[in-house]
C-alpha cells in the first residue's frame, strides 16, 4: 500500500519545468500508488473556475483527468489558499475526490489529520481576517456567478494584494502556531498531522496531553520538489526526480 502526498506545487507558465515534472510524476510512479493526495496550492494564480482558459489550467485539468482515468488510481484534492474556490465542476472535470480542509484518514489503522496549513498560522491575524473574507459563502457564490473577465481582474488584484501583504512579515508570524497545532491534534484525537502551506519541509515532534505526536510539513515545488511517501517502510520524503529514477529501476 503506497500513499503519496504533495502540496504547494504553485504550477504556472513561469516555471514550465515544474509542469513537466508534474506530468512525468503523474504518468510515471504516481500510477502505481494506491492514493495520491494533493493538499492545496496546486496552482500559483488564484483559482477562479474551470472556464478560465489561461494556461496552464486546462493542461493541468487534462493531466489530472487522465491520471484519474487510469485503472486503480485515486486522486484526492484539498483546496489551498490559492485554490479556495475550486468547486464541484473542477472535481467533475478531473474526476478527483474533493476533500475539505481538515480531513481525517486512516493509515495502518491510525487516524491521520490532513490540512492545507494556513489555518494553523494563527499569529498572522491579518491573513486570518483575509481568509475569512475570501472563503465566505457569499464571496464564493459571487465568484461562481460573475463574468469571467471580472473574475480574472479580481484574481490579479488578489495576487498583488497577497504579495504586498506577505512582504514585511517575519518568518515566525508566517509559520504555524504551536498551540494551535496542539489544540487541533487533541481535538481530533490524532497523533499525526500532515500539512503544507508554509513550505518548511520537515517532521516535528508535538507534545500532546496524552503522549507524543508528529507534524509532517510537506515541501514545495520550488527548490524541494517534495513528495511524501507512505509505504510498508513508513514515511519518507523524496525529491520528485529521485522518486522518478528510483521507480524506473
Ligand atoms: Mn498555501
Amino acid at each position: 500500500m503506497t500513499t503519496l502526498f504533495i502540496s504547494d506545487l504553485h504550477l504556472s507558465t513561469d516555471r514550465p519545468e515544474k509542469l513537466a515534472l508534474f506530468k512525468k510524476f503523474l504518468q510515471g510512479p504516481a500510477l502505481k500508488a494506491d492514493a495520491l493526495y494533493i493538499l492545496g496550492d496546486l496552482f500559483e494564480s488564484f483559482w477562479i473556475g474551470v472556464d478560465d482558459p489561461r494556461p496552464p489550467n486546462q493542461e493541468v485539468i487534462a493531466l489530472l483527468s487522465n491520471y484519474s482515468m487510469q485503472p486503480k488510481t485515486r486522486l484526492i484534492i484539498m483546496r489551498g489558499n490559492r485554490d479556495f474556490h475550486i468547486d464541484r465542476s473542477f472535481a467533475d472535470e478531473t474526476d478527483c475526490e474533493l476533500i475539505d480542509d481538515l480531513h481525517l484518514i486512516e493509515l495502518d489503522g491510525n487516524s491521520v489529520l490532513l490540512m492545507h496549513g494556513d489555518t494553523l498560522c494563527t499569529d498572522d491575524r491579518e491573513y486570518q481576517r483575509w481568509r475569512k473574507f475570501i472563503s465566505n459563502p457569499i464571496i464564493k457564490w459571487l465568484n461562481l456567478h460573475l463574468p469571467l473577465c471580472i473574475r480574472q481582474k479580481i484574481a490579479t488584484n488578489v495576487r498583488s494584494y497577497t504579495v504586498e501583504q506577505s512582504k514585511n512579515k517575519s518568518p515566525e508570524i508566517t509559520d504555524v502556531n504551536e498551540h494551535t497545532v496542539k489544540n487541533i491534534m487533541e481535538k481530533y484525537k490524532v497523533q499525526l498531522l500532515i500539512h503544507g502551506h508554509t513550505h518548511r519541509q520537515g517532521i516535528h515532534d508535538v507534545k500532546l496531553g496524552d503522549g507524543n505526536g508528529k507534524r509532517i510539513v510537506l515541501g514545495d515545488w520550488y527548490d524541494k520538489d517534495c513528495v511524501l511517501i507512505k509505504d510498508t517502510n513508513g514515511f519518507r520524503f523524496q525529491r520528485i526526480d529521485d522518486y522518478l529514477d528510483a521507480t524506473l529501476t
Side-chain angles (χ1 to χ4, degrees), residues 8 10 41 80-82 116 118 197 199:
D8 304 281
H10 294 262
D41 287 359
N81 54 302
R82 312 259 170 168
H116 176 58
D118 55 333
H197 180 69
H199 300 202

Side-chain angles (χ1 to χ4, degrees), residues 50-142:
V50 286
D51 58 342
D52 183 6
R54 292 175 302 173
N57 297 0
Q58 301 308 322
E59 189 181 348
V60 173
I61 287 176
L63 281 174
L64 292 174
S65 116
N66 237 304
Y67 177 73
S68 303
M69 268 183 342
Q70 304 308 311
K72 296 201 302 190
T73 53
R74 231 189 110 203
L75 175 66
I76 307 105
I77 297 184
M78 178 183 282
R79 301 170 185 89
N81 54 302
R82 312 259 170 168
D83 27 41
F84 278 138
H85 294 162
I86 277 184
D87 61 357
R88 204 56 255 157
S89 50
F90 179 88
D92 288 344
E93 292 215 10
T94 59
D95 207 10
C96 75
E97 299 166 40
L98 208 53
I99 54 171
D100 287 330
D101 193 342
L102 263 179
H103 184 82
L104 282 169
I105 58 167
E106 286 271 315
L107 275 180
D108 293 344
N110 296 312
S111 206
V112 179
L113 184 60
L114 307 179
M115 299 177 75
H116 176 58
D118 55 333
T119 53
L120 297 168
C121 304
T122 47
D123 292 331
D124 193 346
R125 301 265 167 81
E126 206 170 7
Y127 172 77
Q128 295 304 331
R129 271 199 300 275
W130 149 253
R131 189 189 197 280
K132 212 170 164 186
F133 165 74
I134 201 77
S135 57
N136 105 32
I138 299 167
I139 301 291
K140 277 194 172 176
W141 186 89
L142 270 178

Side-chain angles (χ1 to χ4, degrees), residues 9-12 15-23 221-225 239:
L9 284 75
H10 294 262
L11 296 176
S12 91
R15 298 182 306 132
E17 70 283 4
K18 301 298 170 169
L19 196 58
L21 198 62
F22 187 49
K23 189 172 177 178
W221 281 38
Y222 284 93
D223 48 350
K224 300 280 187 341
D225 298 343
R239 288 188 66 89

Side-chain angles (χ1 to χ4, degrees), residues 83-236:
D83 27 41
F84 278 138
H85 294 162
I86 277 184
D87 61 357
R88 204 56 255 157
S89 50
F90 179 88
D92 288 344
E93 292 215 10
T94 59
D95 207 10
C96 75
E97 299 166 40
L98 208 53
I99 54 171
D100 287 330
D101 193 342
L102 263 179
H103 184 82
L104 282 169
I105 58 167
E106 286 271 315
L107 275 180
D108 293 344
N110 296 312
S111 206
V112 179
L113 184 60
L114 307 179
M115 299 177 75
H116 176 58
D118 55 333
T119 53
L120 297 168
C121 304
T122 47
D123 292 331
D124 193 346
R125 301 265 167 81
E126 206 170 7
Y127 172 77
Q128 295 304 331
R129 271 199 300 275
W130 149 253
R131 189 189 197 280
K132 212 170 164 186
F133 165 74
I134 201 77
S135 57
N136 105 32
I138 299 167
I139 301 291
K140 277 194 172 176
W141 186 89
L142 270 178
N143 191 55
L144 276 176
H145 294 87
L146 288 170
L148 178 65
C149 60
I150 296 183
R151 280 180 280 138
Q152 285 177 338
K153 274 204 187 102
I154 293 174
T156 313
N157 291 338
V158 164
R159 185 81 195 94
S160 25
Y161 172 80
T162 47
V163 166
E164 198 54 41
Q165 288 298 307
S166 55
K167 256 183 198 165
N168 303 314
K169 281 177 187 163
S170 70
E172 297 78 47
I173 283 183
T174 54
D175 201 357
V176 301
N177 175 293
E178 295 296 337
H179 294 289
T180 308
V181 167
K182 181 178 181 287
N183 289 343
I184 229 149
M185 290 179 74
E186 286 175 349
K187 182 178 172 192
Y188 287 88
K189 299 184 172 57
V190 292
Q191 265 149 1
L192 181 60
L193 163 67
I194 302 174
H195 71 84
H197 180 69
T198 63
H199 300 202
R200 295 172 168 109
Q201 182 180 317
I203 302 179
H204 305 272
D205 291 321
V206 184
K207 283 226 176 312
L208 300 169
D210 55 352
N212 284 321
K214 294 238 182 263
R215 176 171 69 92
I216 303 184
V217 189
L218 304 175
D220 60 40
W221 281 38
Y222 284 93
D223 48 350
K224 300 280 187 341
D225 298 343
C226 164
V227 57
L228 175 71
I229 303 155
K230 163 75 179 74
D231 57 18
T232 45
N233 299 316
F235 283 98
R236 69 179 184 282

